[in-house]
Amino acid sequence: MRKKITTMCLALASLFLSSPVAAQETTDNELPEFIANLVYETDLTNSFDNLRGIYKFKPAENIQLDTVYVSTMMNANGGGVFRNDLFQYITYMDLGGGMPTQCSIYECYFDAQGNVHWDRPELRYGATVPEELAAVNGMLVEDPASGELYGIYEANYGYSSMLARADIDNLTREDIGELNNYYLCIACNYEGRLFGIDDYGVLFEINKQTGEETEIGDTEVWPDNVDQSMCFDPATGHLWWATTGDGVAKLYEIDPETAKATLRGTFPWEERFFALSIAKKPTAQAAPAAVTNLQANFAEGSNTGTVSFTLPATSVEGEALTGDLTYYVFANGEKVVEKTAAAGSEISEELTLASGNTRFRVYAENEAGQGEDATLTMWIGFDVPAAPENVLFDIDENGKVNVTWDAVTTSLNGGYFDADNISYKLTCYFDGDEIEKEADTNEFEMDMSDITEQKPCHFGVKAMNGDQASAESLSNNAATGKPMEVPFREDFDTEHGASLYTVLDANKDGNTWQWTGEMFGTYVYKYNKEKDADDWFITPLVQLEGGVEYGFIFDARPMGKDYPETISAFYGQGMKTDAYTSLMEETVIEKDSVFILPFTPATSGAYRMAVHVTSPSYRLNLVLDYIGVDRYEALGINNMNAEDQKSAAEIYTIDGRRVNASMNKQGLYIIRKGNKAVKVVK
């Protein structure tokens, strides 16, 4: 039975985006011509020197390739794109044997006759670029709606992959989000929606803002893990995929709404490609030139508006045109206007279209053939708002909930957006239920005082602009119910106990505290090799009495003695850590350390204890083994010298064995802090 991979990501924002253009059947006379970078074939009559290069081909039972240009340097394994009159590509070579990798960019252009040249002075030929710009398996595509480039790159030393926005003109890359699936190829349609096919032949849509993945369906094609590529046909909205399965190279046409794949041809020599694209059609010199003054006006979020332009008065070669021309208007590949008018006429067409990123394509036609294209891309309808940031959830001892976030002031696509009219949808995720709420401002309150049990809870917030919703931003977790009573200790051995704690990823790098499960029973801070830690681990509410001295206890250890960690400790009320009181200044630990930190709250109430990790980026993981609070006098160490009370404590049994998890068991212990040691009866 065929294995399926289903992403765990929700991709909630994609549910609110406009639907793709309805897929049309492709007739034989509508079959597109492709252009691509050939990088492999098995024809033994060809030598390596006349293999790689740019080729064109059309779908057929037995596909034949037409050579455009041959060069041994044409290998877009780091990503390549045909855009405007250029072919830009990155070649990545790992020489092995301890030799440094080589990553280079090449650029060539096509003249009016379709010939390839390298002689423009601004073009790069073999220029070294950062290794981070080499896309995995050549997966770099242009978004036709925005002109931006998106690619998939290695992450976590090659153990995962990252969606990123790439700028190969300026040699920069902006990471978007880590991906759950292993993709073989990606493509972007003319609405700006990104799709990928994984190594099981399953089609996914990938959110360009967040990296969240939504499964579309199974193509029922099982691909080999070799070089391959795909692209969209703007005329039909269909996806074309050049892949290899069981050693046979084939071309498939895919319906992006259902993932149904239709075989459209076989390559005779197992040809493999990068940068698959639709080839531009040559224009007859006597055909009409491009329309001019192309404009679209869809005011204040309306789905009804006008597209206007001026029909050409001359041909491509500059000769005057007489008589009527047939003109066509396409919106995201769908023909919405076909009419005739005199050459040079001013045209205005009223259209009603679905919301979303829309690419208009307009051309005129005469007896000589189809004229040159004019294109325009704009967002129609209400624009998608940016996702809310800094969502913070707090709940007090009386069950009063407060959720705050930064007001959304920007949108994503340059469409209609009025920040004063943005509203918000909230989802409370509690005990397996989802409670929907709404807010007109960037703060929300509700009453959960009827819930007495301690259970994990968090919120999701989406910004709403008319019928368009942003991606959902999730808050921190917090426990409902009554505050904990002293003494308490949590060893993180059960899912329920571990689920009640709050993690704040203050530097928003995605590397933060994670529970290791019941097998290990710890929380671990996952380091970032490029960014210093700034992550908080916070307890549920703890009921304390004013004027009573307590001890905050926790056991922390670095993963290795050569990688000391930096931690501090605090206590306070609410979730805003900048108002917390310090219990321990930043302390570097090189080994397993038990901390017993005394403090006396001034007033009675519910408080939270916090461990803050601020280790440098080049450290390893930090382990938190247990955490707790007790009256300080009950710990039996209140006779310690003041200068030693914030030192790490080491706990031993009476026979000299070092222990880390015994403070909740009755017995006789020796506790050593600094240069002091005391006997404790527990």
Side-chain angles (χ1 to χ4, degrees):
M1 183 174 176
R2 183 183 175 89
K3 180 179 179 183
K4 293 292 187 73
I5 296 293
T6 303
T7 181
M8 297 179 66
C9 293
L10 299 177
L12 294 177
S14 65
L15 299 177
F16 295 89
L17 295 176
S18 59
S19 298
V21 174
Q24 307 169 23
E25 286 296 326
T26 304
T27 61
D28 288 343
N29 59 359
E30 295 176 325
L31 290 175
E33 183 178 41
F34 298 96
I35 189 169
N37 171 208
L38 176 70
V39 293
Y40 176 85
E41 68 173 16
T42 58
D43 185 0
L44 297 180
T45 62
N46 274 337
S47 68
F48 182 79
D49 292 338
N50 64 358
L51 164 61
R52 288 179 183 162
I54 300 173
Y55 294 79
K56 288 184 177 180
F57 59 87
K58 289 184 177 181
E61 183 176 355
N62 293 296
I63 300 173
Q64 301 300 314
L65 272 56
D66 294 325
T67 303
V68 177
Y69 188 84
V70 171
S71 170
T72 59
M73 299 307 299
M74 279 191 167
N75 183 11
N77 61 343
V81 287
F82 292 91
R83 54 176 179 163
N84 301 321
D85 64 341
L86 295 178
F87 180 45
Q88 300 171 294
Y89 65 96
I90 291 174
T91 294
Y92 177 83
M93 289 188 291
D94 186 352
L95 302 177
M99 298 289 290
T101 56
Q102 296 180 5
C103 193
S104 307
I105 188 168
Y106 295 82
E107 296 170 308
C108 58
Y109 72 94
F110 297 84
D111 63 22
Q113 289 72 42
N115 299 314
V116 172
H117 300 273
W118 306 83
D119 54 3
R120 291 211 296 236
E122 74 276 13
L123 298 183
R124 294 166 289 189
Y125 186 90
T128 300
V129 299
E131 184 180 333
E132 292 75 18
L133 282 179
V136 176
N137 298 332
M139 286 187 286
L140 181 71
V141 296
E142 181 183 22
D143 175 0
S146 67
E148 293 183 316
L149 301 181
Y150 292 86
I152 293 180
Y153 300 85
E154 284 190 354
N156 295 325
Y157 305 102
Y159 288 100
S160 62
S161 56
M162 178 74 66
L163 175 68
R165 190 178 293 106
D167 184 346
I168 61 176
D169 295 328
N170 296 302
L171 303 180
T172 61
R173 171 185 134 193
E174 177 188 355
D175 288 346
I176 296 170
E178 194 169 341
L179 299 170
N180 290 318
N181 296 286
Y182 178 75
Y183 292 98
L184 297 176
C185 50
I186 57 174
C188 205
N189 72 4
Y190 281 76
E191 292 177 281
R193 300 174 67 188
L194 182 65
F195 294 79
I197 292 179
D198 74 357
D199 52 342
Y200 292 95
V202 178
L203 178 68
F204 290 84
E205 181 170 0
I206 306 171
N207 188 300
K208 294 186 306 183
Q209 281 74 48
T210 65
E212 292 173 327
E213 300 147 276
T214 302
E215 182 177 329
I216 303 299
D218 192 343
T219 65
E220 300 296 338
V221 176
W222 192 290
D224 295 343
N225 190 358
V226 296
D227 302 333
Q228 48 198 280
S229 187
M230 65 183 186
C231 68
F232 276 92
D233 180 3
T236 63
H238 274 203
L239 181 60
W240 290 83
W241 179 27
T243 186
T244 302
D246 293 328
V248 179
K250 297 178 181 180
L251 180 67
Y252 289 93
E253 183 179 15
I254 299 174
D255 185 334
E257 295 184 66
T258 65
K260 178 184 177 183
T262 302
L263 180 62
R264 285 295 192 173
T266 300
F267 296 97
W269 301 108
E270 296 181 35
E271 287 89 341
R272 301 173 190 169
F273 304 92
F274 291 128
L276 184 69
S277 303
I278 301 296
K280 286 186 176 181
K281 295 181 179 179
T283 303
Q285 293 298 294
V291 305
T292 56
N293 303 319
L294 177 58
Q295 299 179 42
N297 182 17
F298 289 74
E300 296 186 345
S302 174
N303 292 92
T304 298
T306 60
V307 174
S308 59
F309 50 89
T310 303
L311 286 175
T314 61
S315 66
V316 172
E317 61 186 350
E319 297 294 326
L321 296 175
T322 59
D324 287 345
L325 301 176
T326 301
Y327 62 88
Y328 302 85
V329 179
F330 290 81
N332 286 338
E334 180 181 6
K335 185 169 65 177
V336 292
V337 175
E338 180 182 352
K339 292 183 180 178
T340 58
S345 298
E346 301 288 336
I347 305 297
S348 180
E349 297 287 351
E350 182 176 277
L351 301 173
T352 299
L353 300 171
S355 297
N357 226 1
T358 305
R359 180 181 187 268
F360 293 100
R361 173 173 166 250
V362 181
Y363 65 86
E365 188 177 62
N366 62 8
E367 62 278 1
Q370 177 179 318
E372 296 178 323
D373 285 350
T375 61
L376 170 68
T377 299
M378 68 172 296
W379 187 274
I380 292 176
F382 287 86
D383 198 1
V384 177
E389 295 184 350
N390 298 317
V391 183
L392 187 67
F393 162 44
D394 190 16
I395 182 170
D396 67 14
E397 65 269 33
N398 299 313
K400 181 181 178 181
V401 167
N402 180 255
V403 186
T404 59
W405 59 93
D406 296 344
V408 174
T409 59
T410 58
S411 61
L412 301 180
N413 307 286
Y416 180 71
F417 179 83
D418 183 354
D420 293 334
N421 290 323
I422 295 299
S423 61
Y424 302 91
K425 284 189 176 181
L426 292 89
T427 303
C428 175
Y429 297 96
F430 170 72
D431 200 23
D433 292 329
E434 297 181 9
I435 306 169
E436 302 292 336
K437 299 290 183 179
E438 295 182 354
D440 293 325
T441 65
N442 59 320
E443 185 170 7
F444 173 78
E445 293 183 348
M446 67 180 289
D447 184 5
M448 299 182 75
S449 60
D450 58 328
I451 300 171
T452 59
E453 293 182 84
Q454 289 182 328
K455 293 186 177 181
C457 179
H458 70 278
F459 281 76
V461 182
K462 292 180 284 189
M464 300 297 302
N465 181 31
D467 60 350
Q468 296 291 336
S470 75
E472 183 181 48
S473 296
L474 298 178
S475 75
N476 54 285
N477 184 71
T480 63
K482 295 180 179 180
M484 291 183 172
E485 299 291 337
V486 173
F488 86 90
R489 169 171 160 159
E490 177 58 59
D491 293 289
F492 313 123
D493 289 337
T494 67
E495 181 176 2
H496 178 262
S499 71
L500 302 180
Y501 287 76
T502 296
V503 168
L504 296 182
D505 182 8
N507 60 2
K508 298 180 177 60
D509 65 347
N511 292 56
T512 193
W513 295 96
Q514 298 176 2
W515 183 51
T516 56
E518 294 180 355
M519 177 178 294
F520 297 100
T522 60
Y523 261 92
V524 173
Y525 164 72
K526 182 181 179 182
Y527 77 102
N528 186 331
K529 68 175 182 177
E530 298 174 349
K531 204 168 187 179
D532 293 348
D534 185 5
D535 296 80
W536 293 79
F537 185 82
I538 304 174
T539 69
L541 292 169
V542 183
Q543 191 66 41
L544 303 177
E545 296 180 41
V548 174
E549 189 175 30
Y550 295 92
F552 176 35
I553 315 164
F554 62 92
D555 181 348
R557 65 179 184 271
M559 289 292 285
K561 64 179 181 179
D562 296 328
Y563 297 94
E565 301 287 349
T566 305
I567 60 173
S568 51
F570 299 80
Y571 83 106
Q573 295 180 300
M575 284 290 181
K576 295 184 177 178
T577 57
D578 55 359
Y580 283 13
T581 299
S582 174
L583 292 176
M584 183 179 73
E585 300 295 331
E586 283 191 343
T587 300
V588 177
I589 59 172
E590 298 178 348
K591 60 182 179 179
D592 194 347
S593 304
V594 176
F595 293 90
I596 304 175
L597 308 176
F599 68 100
T600 304
T603 60
S604 298
Y607 292 81
R608 300 181 187 275
M609 314 294 123
V611 176
H612 187 204
V613 55
T614 52
S615 301
S617 58
Y618 50 85
R619 299 299 192 240
L620 288 178
N621 295 341
L622 172 66
V623 180
L624 191 62
D625 202 28
Y626 65 78
I627 200 167
V629 177
D630 201 349
R631 288 177 179 262
Y632 196 61
E633 61 184 13
L635 296 173
I637 56 172
N638 55 324
N639 60 341
M640 288 275 179
N641 289 338
E643 63 268 21
D644 288 329
Q645 287 183 348
K646 290 184 179 180
S647 300
E650 299 175 350
I651 305 176
Y652 298 85
T653 61
I654 196 65
D655 60 355
R657 290 182 291 107
R658 175 78 182 273
V659 292
N660 296 321
S662 57
M663 287 300 292
N664 66 338
K665 299 176 182 179
Q666 294 182 352
L668 185 62
Y669 299 95
I670 302 296
I671 299 180
R672 187 178 70 189
K673 286 171 65 70
N675 59 0
K676 286 286 187 179
V678 295
K679 209 182 311 182
V680 176
V681 178
K682 185 70 174 172

